[in-house]
């Protein structure tokens, strides 16, 4: 992984739609580097600019400011049909007047590939997406999952350098979605093509990606491997958007590189991870994941009262409020035939597993 | 149809009472009721649609009256005269070249008009369909504006534009592009231009209707897959708006082939079309049966065109199903 080649690079990209009163800043000075052969995911809530970033890379929109580079080269002057980038559209956008095979072969045909070669590649693609017998069908005769695979095959057939996928799984039901997640991952491994994948489903992002960029309101807040994003969120929004989290006000008292110590409201001093920016001691917010804590009958590092106990099969969720009123959730794994350790109204101490406290930037 | 269905379901409660007889009676009642309800519509269709047609169909098999009108003398002469004429001296049949050339001119002019309207109307409709919602209605309004005034008035206006010292010629002379005025007025060209102008909205409307339904993301998908503008136009846009193209072509072709005012004013009497020929039979020529026969002949031609259209659309729908 030493200095892997760069596939796509956005340098200070800003995109403004409209003008005057109705102006929308869809992207605000976004910079990101996507490596070759990477499964890169853009994750964020609706309207945060994910589609806009993909459309800028594909060439359907032009940046108001900044540059998009493909393999280190400027592509601003290239129209979409000259960019070695293909898109799997959110609604698939299959051509309704063509068969499955014609859809898949369209890109190759446009590139001027001879008919027999097109037919051969189309067959390969049909095999790749496991739809060998469906080439002659009309796209309207396909199920949602099949349409999605045709869209994928159509975008993969011309062997693009980069494949852009705009929430391709959002229309599928849960079971099919899980299957397609595995299939997508397999296709990415087999083809070695760089995937830029858009989703607003945090679980999907975590399970599939090599790296994730968390976006909000036209900004990229954090880029990192799924584990890093989950365990070491740098901002409140990231922590909140990915998984369930407890926010606790604390005092940063010691800084040593990316490690430090914080004093919790209870007075207990515990080690904590610091974000990748310069911080000075003082008031901070820390996050503690519900599954990284334990409840004990004695003091622990935080104390609270249990409001609610919810049984979930594999684990039990304890909703507490700390002595200063802050809500807090603890998620404890269940043992077979064990009763809940605490019930509503009980006082409990909270202990935190090693390295489970993350300090936020804000 | 829908009315009939509701009355049928409305009579269901009475059928519950007893056995087959009651059901049959109720059915008869509902059938009668259905006929009663559709009878006004049938009467109107019969009176204004079928009766005039029946009259000219009958007329076409009769002989012309001494001054005008018809005399009740059955003959096929009128139908023969659509394309044939009898020699005045020996009564042998020969081709009526005047009629043949008028019919040919009508077909050619209507076809050229259709193509011109398509060439002008396609980008126009595309332009309108790609405007923001609010602007579209304004543009559609502007396109339909000529329809608000009488065709005769519009055609006279066209004469002002096309005549020897009209706007086109005087501008071209002023700009030193030409020295002598172009001969446009009273030519087939003038008729073609006039017809295109008159029927352009009939092309734009159905084209717009199918383009408005067009999923523009498919065009983006085409660009994304290395199709340049022309290829995307031919391979994606045109196949998808084909029903609109065919509808627009038919809507322009049919009135264009039967046009009367435009060839009369812009053709200057020497470039007649079928419409003028028919009018002549009912006017100066006083041959009502021949006029009826030519009218029916024209209608048959148009029906053939429609059948081709319907077949085309159905086979396309089959392919898409
Ligand atoms: N063509 C446009 N004109 C005006 N505003 C636009 C346009 N396209 C996008 N926007 C605005 O830009 C912002 C970002 O839109 P974008 O489509 O990139 O969001 P997204 O992250 O893809 O959301 P979603 O998850 O809902 O698809 C939104 O506020 C949107 O309203
Ligand atoms: Mg989107």
């Amino acid at each position: 992984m030493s200095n892997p080649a760069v596939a796509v690079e956005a340098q200070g990209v800003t995109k403004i739609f409209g003008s005057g009163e109705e102006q929308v800043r869809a992207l605000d000075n976004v910079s990101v580097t996507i490596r070759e052969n990477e499964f890169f995911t853009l994750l964020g809530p609706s309207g945060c600019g994910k589609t806009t970033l993909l459309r800028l890379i594909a060439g359907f929109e032009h940046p108001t400011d900044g540059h998009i580079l493909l393999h280190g080269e400027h592509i601003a002057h290239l129209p979409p049909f000259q960019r070695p980038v293909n898109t799997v559209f959110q609604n698939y956008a299959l051509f309704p007047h063509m068969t499955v095979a014609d859809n898949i072969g369209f890109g190759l045909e446009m590139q001027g590939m001879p008919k027999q070669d097109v037919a051969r590649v189309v067959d390969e693609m049909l095999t790749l997406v496991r739809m060998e017998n469906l080439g002659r069908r009309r796209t309207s005769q396909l199920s949602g999952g099949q349409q999605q695979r045709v869209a994928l095959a159509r975008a993969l057939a011309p062997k693009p350098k980069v494949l852009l996928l705009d929430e391709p799984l959002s229309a599928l039901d849960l079971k099919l979605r899980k299957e397609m997640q595995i299939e997508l991952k397999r296709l990415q491994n087999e083809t070695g093509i760089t995937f830029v994948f858009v989703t607003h489903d945090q679980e999907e992002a975590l399970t599939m990606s090599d790296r994730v960029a968390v976006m909000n309101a036209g900004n990229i807040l954090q880029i990192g491997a799924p584990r890093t994003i989950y365990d070491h969120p740098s901002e409140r929004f990231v922590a909140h958007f990915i998984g369930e989290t407890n926010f606790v006000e604390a005092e940063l008292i010691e800084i040593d590189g990316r490690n430090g110590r914080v004093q919790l409201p209870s007075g207990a001093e515990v080690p904590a991870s610091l974000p990748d920016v310069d911080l000075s001691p003082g008031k901070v917010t820390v996050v503690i994941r519900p599954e990284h804590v334990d409840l004990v009958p004695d003091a622990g590092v935080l104390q609270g009262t249990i409001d609610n106990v919810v049984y979930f099969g594999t684990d039990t969720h304890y909703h507490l409020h700390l002595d200063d009123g802050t809500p807090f959730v603890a998620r404890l794994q269940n043992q077979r035939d064990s009763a809940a350790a605490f019930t509503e109204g009980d006082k409990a101490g909270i202990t935190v597993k090693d390295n489970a406290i993350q300090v936020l930037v804000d | 149809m829908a009315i009939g269905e509701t009355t049928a379901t409305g009579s269901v409660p009475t059928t519950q009472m007893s056995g087959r007889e009651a059901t049959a009676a109720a059915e008869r009642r509902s059938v009668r009721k259905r006929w009663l309800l559709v009878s006004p519509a049938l009467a109107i269709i019969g009176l204004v649609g079928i009766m005039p047609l029946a009259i000219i169909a009958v007329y076409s098999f009769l002989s012309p009256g001494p001054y005008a009108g018809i005399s009740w003398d059955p003959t096929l002469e009128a139908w023969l005269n659509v394309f044939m004429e009898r020699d005045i001296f020996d009564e042998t049949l020969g081709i009526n070249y005047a009629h043949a050339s008028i019919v040919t001119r009508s077909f050619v002019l209507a076809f050229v008009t259709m193509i011109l309207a398509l060439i002008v109307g396609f980008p126009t409709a595309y332009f309108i369909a790609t405007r923001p919602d609010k602007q579209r209605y304004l543009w559609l309004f502007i396109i339909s504006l000529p329809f608000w005034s009488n065709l005769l008035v519009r055609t006279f206006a066209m004469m002002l534009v096309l005549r020897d010292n009209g706007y086109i010629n005087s501008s071209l002379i002023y700009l030193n592009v030409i020295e002598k005025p172009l001969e446009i007025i009273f030519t087939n060209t003038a008729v073609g231009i006039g017809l295109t102008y008159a029927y352009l909205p009939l092309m734009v409307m159905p084209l717009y209707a199918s383009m408005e339904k067009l999923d523009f993301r498919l065009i983006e998908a085409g660009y994304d897959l290395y199709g340049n503008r022309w290829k995307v136009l031919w391979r994606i846009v045109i196949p998808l708006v084909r029903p609109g193209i065919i509808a627009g072509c038919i809507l322009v072709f049919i009135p264009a082939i039967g046009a009367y005012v435009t060839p009369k004013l812009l053709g200057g009497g020497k470039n007649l079309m079928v419409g003028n020929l028919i009018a002549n039979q009912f006017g100066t020529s006083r041959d009502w049966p021949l006029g009826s026969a030519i009218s029916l002949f024209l209608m048959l031609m148009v029906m053939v065109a429609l059948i081709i259209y319907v077949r085309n659309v159905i086979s396309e729908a089959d392919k898409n199903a």
Side-chain angles (χ1 to χ4, degrees), chain B:
Chain B
M1 204 50 159
I3 296 171
E5 271 152 24
T6 36
T7 55
T9 44
S11 64
V12 165
T14 55
T15 66
Q16 308 176 331
M17 313 183 308
S18 69
R20 254 179 228 165
E21 252 169 65
T23 319
E27 209 147 275
R28 273 198 302 279
R29 264 201 305 282
S30 88
V31 167
R32 224 179 303 143
K33 202 168 170 189
R34 222 182 285 182
W35 278 109
L36 213 68
L37 282 167
V38 297
S39 56
L42 288 180
I44 290 174
I45 291 171
L47 223 76
V48 308
I50 297 180
M51 227 173 50
L53 262 182
I55 292 173
I56 61 165
V58 171
Y59 278 15
S60 73
F61 293 103
L62 299 176
S63 318
Y67 301 107
I70 37 101
S71 74
W72 290 87
D73 237 350
T75 165
L76 287 176
E77 195 70 14
W79 281 96
L80 259 177
N81 283 341
V82 172
F83 276 112
M84 302 295 206
E85 68 188 337
R86 276 192 206 285
D87 195 291
I88 4 176
F89 302 110
D90 57 9
E91 300 252 310
T92 50
L93 274 178
I95 291 176
N96 186 331
Y97 288 104
H99 286 192
S101 90
I102 288 174
V103 170
T104 313
R105 176 182 304 116
S106 301
F107 267 93
V108 171
L109 273 177
F111 189 77
V112 168
T113 299
M114 183 183 91
I115 299 296
L116 282 178
L118 183 60
I119 291 171
V120 179
F122 193 93
T124 311
Y126 190 89
F127 172 82
I128 298 174
T130 49
R131 289 314 95 189
D133 275 357
K134 277 185 224 150
Q135 285 180 33
R136 286 186 200 175
Y137 297 106
L138 181 69
W139 285 110
L140 282 177
F141 174 73
I142 291 172
I143 288 290
S144 67
L145 211 51
F147 268 13
W148 291 52
S149 67
N150 186 285
L151 177 62
L152 204 60
V153 177
R154 281 187 282 147
T155 311
F156 271 119
M158 211 59 197
M159 289 179 83
L160 295 183
V161 175
L162 297 178
R163 66 184 181 186
D164 286 357
N165 55 354
Y167 297 120
I168 289 185
N169 276 317
S170 47
S171 328
L172 287 178
I173 290 173
Y174 178 78
L175 294 170
N176 281 327
V177 182
I178 50 171
E179 277 171 22
K180 278 194 303 186
L182 293 174
E183 240 178 75
I184 309 176
I185 191 87
F186 306 144
T187 62
N188 285 332
T189 313
V191 180
I193 293 173
L195 288 175
T196 307
Y197 164 71
Y199 298 122
L200 185 62
L202 294 180
M203 178 63 85
V204 174
M205 296 296 172
L207 271 178
Y208 165 76
S210 56
M211 279 183 194
E212 189 206 32
K213 277 183 278 171
L214 183 66
D215 184 354
F216 282 86
R217 287 172 295 197
L218 296 177
I219 297 177
E220 282 190 348
Y223 286 147
D224 191 62
L225 292 163
Y226 313 104
N228 60 28
R229 278 168 226 291
W230 278 109
K231 285 177 178 164
V232 168
L233 178 69
W234 281 110
R235 294 295 310 277
I236 294 167
V237 180
I238 288 182
L240 288 175
V241 301
R242 223 180 65 136
I245 294 176
I246 296 177
C249 284
I250 288 203
L251 281 182
V252 169
F253 187 82
I254 291 176
I257 199 168
Y260 172 75
V261 170
T262 314
K264 178 130 183 139
L265 293 183
L266 298 178
K270 44 178 183 159
N271 296 294
L272 291 182
M273 287 176 68
V274 180
N276 311 106
L277 186 62
I278 295 170
N280 278 351
Q281 305 314 314
F282 287 97
T284 46
S285 301
R286 293 187 199 154
D287 192 343
W288 288 21
L290 179 56
S292 305
I294 301 174
S295 303
L296 286 176
F297 168 77
L298 185 63
M299 211 180 90
L300 286 175
M301 292 283 104
V302 167
M303 265 163 67
V304 168
L306 266 177
I307 287 167
I308 292 173
Y309 164 67
V310 169
R311 278 199 167 170
N312 245 315
V313 170
I314 289 175
S315 72
E316 190 66 11
D318 278 349
K319 269 197 271 167
N320 280 331

